[in-house]
């Protein structure tokens, strides 16, 4: 029987989608996009050692208990299931270079990748089953985020990854465990009941911990549902405590389920080209385009004016000269200064050895940040004024890596190599890329996960 109003029961329809998903039903372009997102997430996790606080998170994971059953991507260490999922979630986001679903400012792969890989490793799942579960998790998270009603959600102070991400992780686990639709719905409800995370953490690594904890919540929801544990029949729109109801004043459940299984919202997930906060990506895109168009000598720059949407200005204007890597990754002024000096934007540009340069710190003061909604909700404008009065200007509507200006295969491969080569070696990175892009052909994940270990221990 066709449901006359699927938006009245969005959790049920998402659960039926997950339980009924078969890989041949997914278009080739969608499967390719999903594999690219997985490759990007694995690359970011391998690069996590460049995150200043990663040692603290590793020590925290070790304190959760002993055990070595689950791979920690990019590490020699193995951890118990829950600790590894939490640590892998942080590793994906550690260097602030992972994906983002821009309509809800929600990073998705840090919450979905860790439980997917962990349960697949435990169960010995085939590459095809892993890809199906990965697609299910990404699509559920993107769909829930797309129906959120982000403006009101953000006005209330909620941070999307810790609220939305658990449902994506739970969907992936449920798919790998081959749960029926009722059990999948319970998994989503159990994950959603753990949703949390607010913007009060902005500017601190806690915003990244929201994503790691979201990955763990998804794991717990899926595993508990597999035991027959019950949850709400409608976690999204329940009038008394549903996520859309409580967190966003109602949301838009129609958007959540419209075209489900025919239109793939995961294709709207962006991949960041460079490490740095999501709203800084359009600024970097414009700046590199400007440098390609005009010969700009650092010695002849009098000042730089950067225009961003008002909401981006409010969030990032506080960050100037950095006192840590994460602040460097969030500072628009610093990013502009270091790119103009180094003509690059990668992990060394945001490390202590670079942001502590006093000459660079002085140049940061020449960068002016302005609020201007005329650039568009996802755009930016950069104007460089020379000492002789010459002006060079470039605007972009979206960042490189946005679905409207996606990374090419070559650009994604270059990013993964920059993430991984120093850790696992260039030849191994090549094999990793090849195997993830042919994920359906893998008998299990043993070889792929083994490739992520640092070279010296393999």
């Amino acid at each position: 029987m066709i449901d006359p109003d699927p938006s009245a029961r969005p959790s049920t329809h998402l659960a039926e989608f997950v339980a009924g998903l078969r890989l041949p039903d997914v278009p080739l372009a969608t499967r390719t996009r999903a594999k690219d997102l997985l490759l990007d997430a694995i690359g970011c996790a391998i690069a996590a050692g460049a995150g200043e606080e990663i040692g603290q998170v590793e020590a925290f994971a070790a304190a959760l208990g002993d055990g070595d059953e689950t791979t920690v991507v990019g590490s020699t260490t193995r951890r118990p299931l829950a600790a590894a999922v939490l640590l892998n979630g942080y590793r994906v986001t550690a260097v602030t270079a992972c994906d983002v679903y821009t309509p809800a400012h929600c990073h998705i792969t840090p919450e979905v990748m860790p439980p997917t890989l962990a349960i697949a490793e435990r169960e010995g799942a085939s590459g095809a089953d892993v890809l199906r579960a990965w697609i299910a998790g990404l699509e559920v998270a993107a769909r829930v985020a797309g129906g959120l009603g982000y403006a009101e959600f953000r006005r209330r102070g909620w941070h999307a990854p810790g609220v939305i991400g658990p449902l994506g992780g739970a969907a992936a686990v449920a798919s790998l465990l081959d749960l029926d639709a009722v059990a999948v719905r319970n998994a989503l409800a159990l994950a959603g009941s753990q949703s949390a995370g607010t913007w009060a953490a902005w500017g601190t690594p806690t915003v990244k911990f929201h994503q790691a904890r979201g990955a763990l919540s998804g794991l717990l929801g899926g595993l508990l549902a597999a035991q027959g544990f019950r949850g709400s029949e409608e976690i999204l729109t329940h009038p008394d405590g549903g996520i859309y109801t409580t967190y966003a004043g109602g949301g838009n459940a129609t958007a959540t389920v419209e075209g489900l299984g025919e239109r793939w919202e995961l294709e709207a997930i962006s991949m960041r080209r460079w490490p740095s906060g999501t709203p800084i990506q359009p600024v970097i895109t414009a700046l590199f385009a400007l440098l390609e168009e005009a010969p700009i000598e650092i010695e002849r720059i009098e000042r730089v004016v950067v225009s961003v949407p008002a909401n981006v200005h409010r969030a990032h204007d506080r960050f100037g000269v950095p006192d840590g890597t994460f602040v460097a990754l969030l500072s628009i002024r610093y990013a502009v200064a270091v790119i103009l000096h180094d003509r690059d934007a990668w992990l060394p540009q945001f490390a202590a050895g670079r942001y502590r340069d006093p000459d660079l710190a002085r140049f940061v003061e020449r960068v002016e940040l302005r609020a201007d909604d005329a650039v568009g909700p996802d755009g930016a404008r950069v104007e460089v004024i020379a000492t002789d009065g010459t002006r060079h200007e470039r605007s972009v509507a979206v960042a490189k890596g946005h679905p409207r200006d996606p990374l090419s295969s070559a650009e994604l491969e270059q990013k993964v190599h920059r993430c991984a080569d120093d850790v696992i070696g260039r030849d191994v990175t090549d094999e990793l890329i090849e195997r993830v892009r042919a994920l359906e052909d893998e008998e299990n994940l043993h070889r792929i996960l083994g490739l992520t270990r640092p070279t010296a221990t393999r």
Side-chain angles (χ1 to χ4, degrees):
M1 178 178 178
I2 298 176
D3 193 331
D5 184 13
S7 66
R9 301 187 305 138
S11 299
T12 294
H13 286 273
L14 289 173
E16 291 171 347
F17 161 77
V18 172
L21 182 63
R22 300 293 177 263
L23 201 54
D25 298 333
V26 183
L28 177 60
T30 306
R31 280 181 269 161
T32 299
R33 179 68 172 175
K35 288 185 285 188
D36 283 351
L37 286 162
L38 180 58
L39 183 59
D40 184 66
I42 291 173
C44 290
I46 293 173
E52 282 184 337
E53 68 284 345
I54 192 64
Q56 296 168 312
V57 182
E58 288 174 341
F60 169 61
L64 293 178
D66 295 327
D68 62 355
E69 66 263 36
T70 306
T71 295
V72 176
V73 176
S75 172
T76 60
T77 304
R78 294 173 66 84
R79 292 289 177 204
L81 180 66
V85 166
L86 191 149
L87 182 51
N88 279 331
Y90 202 94
R91 289 186 69 89
V92 175
T93 189
V95 296
T96 315
C98 64
D99 75 292
V100 61
Y101 177 78
T102 56
H105 200 81
C106 185
H107 309 292
I108 290 175
T109 62
E111 302 94 89
V112 180
M113 185 270 266
T116 302
L117 298 191
I119 294 300
E121 181 179 23
R122 191 190 75 173
E123 299 293 316
S126 69
D129 286 344
V130 173
L131 181 57
R132 184 194 72 236
W134 175 242
I135 289 171
L138 293 179
E139 187 67 11
V140 165
R143 286 277 177 167
V144 173
L148 190 62
Y150 183 69
E152 177 60 19
F153 177 87
R154 177 65 185 89
R155 188 191 69 79
R156 298 183 182 206
W158 296 107
H159 186 225
V163 174
I164 301 307
L167 283 83
V173 171
S175 177
L176 283 167
L177 297 179
D178 200 25
L179 302 187
D180 64 25
V182 172
V184 176
R185 188 180 65 193
N186 286 331
L188 298 179
L190 290 162
S193 69
Q194 302 171 72
S195 289
T198 75
W199 280 92
W202 179 234
T204 77
T206 298
V207 294
K208 293 188 280 186
F209 182 73
H210 291 168
Q211 295 159 58
R213 196 272 312 155
L216 180 58
S217 294
L219 174 74
L220 298 178
L223 291 179
L224 194 54
Q227 300 302 317
F229 206 88
R230 293 177 56 196
S232 169
E233 293 186 3
E234 186 41 66
I235 190 62
L236 296 177
T237 59
H238 194 291
D240 187 12
I243 288 175
Y244 285 178
T245 311
T246 304
Y247 290 72
N252 182 0
T254 298
T256 304
V257 299
E258 188 174 28
L260 185 61
E262 299 173 358
R263 176 183 59 79
W264 296 87
E265 193 66 16
L266 70 84
E267 295 181 4
I269 300 173
S270 300
M271 284 181 279
R272 282 185 273 190
R273 181 70 180 85
W274 306 276
S276 73
T278 301
I280 305 179
Q281 299 288 308
V283 176
I284 299 176
T285 302
L287 186 54
F288 275 127
L290 186 58
L291 290 173
E292 288 182 3
E293 296 169 356
I296 299 173
E297 299 175 10
I298 192 69
E299 298 82 4
R300 298 182 62 238
I301 296 176
E302 179 178 298
R303 61 192 177 96
V304 183
V305 178
V306 179
S307 299
V308 295
N311 65 307
V312 174
H313 185 271
R314 284 193 299 271
H316 290 266
D317 187 45
R318 72 186 76 173
F319 303 117
V321 177
D323 58 2
T325 289
F326 191 42
V327 173
L329 290 162
L330 298 179
S331 173
I332 294 176
R333 295 183 181 89
Y334 174 78
V336 169
V338 77
I339 291 168
L340 286 171
H341 278 77
D342 295 1
R343 307 302 162 106
D344 199 3
W346 196 244
L347 303 179
Q349 277 66 53
F350 299 94
R354 195 68 188 102
Y355 67 70
R356 289 176 179 162
D357 184 334
D359 292 335
L360 191 56
R362 282 190 288 272
F363 192 92
V364 169
E365 303 302 325
R366 299 191 213 172
V367 181
E368 178 185 350
L369 188 61
R370 293 180 180 175
D372 185 355
D373 285 331
V375 300
D378 298 306
R381 181 173 61 253
V382 177
E383 184 180 12
V384 177
I385 299 97
T387 53
D388 65 0
T390 304
R391 294 173 176 261
H392 302 284
E393 182 179 313
R394 187 67 156 84
S395 297
V396 297
V398 295
K400 186 64 182 177
H402 189 280
R404 284 157 51 193
D405 187 12
L407 298 186
S408 67
S409 292
E411 288 168 333
L412 176 57
E413 288 181 13
Q414 181 191 39
K415 178 184 176 182
V416 175
H417 273 290
R418 297 194 84 176
C419 284
D421 284 0
D422 288 346
V423 180
I424 66 174
R426 184 170 184 84
D427 290 345
V428 178
T429 306
D430 281 333
E431 183 181 351
L432 177 65
I433 292 170
E434 180 181 351
R435 285 183 176 272
V436 172
R437 284 192 162 154
L439 181 60
E440 302 97 319
D441 299 332
E442 295 290 313
E443 183 178 352
N444 53 53
L445 289 191
H446 177 75
R447 181 60 181 170
I448 286 175
L449 293 174
L451 291 171
T452 72
R453 294 201 304 269
T455 303
T457 64
R458 192 178 310 106

